[in-house]
Amino acid sequence: MSGNTQFTRLSRGVEVVRDRAVASVVWKAEKLDRIVMVRRSDGFMSTVEIPVEIRADLRSFDREAVARHARALSLAVLWALPDMEFACVERLGRAPLRDGASPAEFGAIRHFAPRMIGIDIGEFELVDRRRFN
């Protein structure tokens, strides 16, 4: 496993794998796209829709607008996490993770592909829920 994957030991010696995902608000060609989550362990991606009530304020690349809506963006990610499915997106691959192995910092700029750029919301822990069944 990657160095960004953590293990937590539960009672009775059971280990739960905890992975992390970087969340960024992404614009394509200067137009708002959505929140993109990139899983640290393998570079697979998932997306989260931006809440309708803040979309107008985020229509163009604007770090200050992301900061104004930090809470709503983080809540949108947390709300989506339990049902999130990650997939390999070959056109983007692991490129966004090349911006740094250190944890994502709010407001940091992350490059995805030509004419695709994002502003980090932060890093979120993923728990493999199948281990609890």
Side-chain angles (χ1 to χ4, degrees):
M1 293 257 160
S2 161
N4 293 306
T5 303
Q6 301 173 350
F7 293 92
T8 300
R9 193 170 298 280
L10 299 176
S11 61
R12 293 184 276 166
V14 176
E15 286 184 344
V16 175
V17 178
R18 294 182 186 269
D19 199 353
R20 301 185 69 75
V22 174
S24 304
V25 177
V26 175
W27 289 264
K28 286 183 189 175
E30 299 298 321
K31 294 178 104 177
L32 179 65
D33 188 32
R34 60 192 60 178
I35 298 169
V36 173
M37 302 283 293
V38 183
R39 192 164 55 195
R40 286 274 187 193
S41 62
D42 56 14
F44 281 26
M45 302 176 100
S46 187
T47 60
V48 177
E49 291 299 322
I50 294 176
V52 174
E53 57 274 4
I54 64 173
R55 286 186 75 80
D57 198 27
L58 294 172
R59 71 179 152 253
S60 62
F61 185 82
D62 184 346
R63 196 184 258 173
E64 290 176 15
V66 171
R68 280 193 301 275
H69 299 292
R71 182 171 166 79
L73 293 165
S74 294
L75 288 174
V77 170
L78 291 170
W79 181 263
L81 275 177
D83 300 316
M84 195 169 283
E85 292 184 23
F86 289 82
C88 180
V89 181
E90 290 191 28
R91 64 185 163 81
L92 297 177
R94 287 170 113 357
L97 296 181
R98 284 195 295 261
D99 283 350
S102 60
E105 292 184 21
F106 188 88
I109 295 174
R110 191 167 298 272
H111 299 276
F112 285 81
R115 301 189 53 131
M116 261 184 99
I117 192 164
I119 296 175
D120 285 354
I121 298 168
E123 198 153 327
F124 295 82
E125 189 171 277
L126 307 170
V127 177
D128 186 357
R129 294 179 302 150
R130 293 173 293 179
R131 298 249 182 187
F132 296 115
N133 291 334

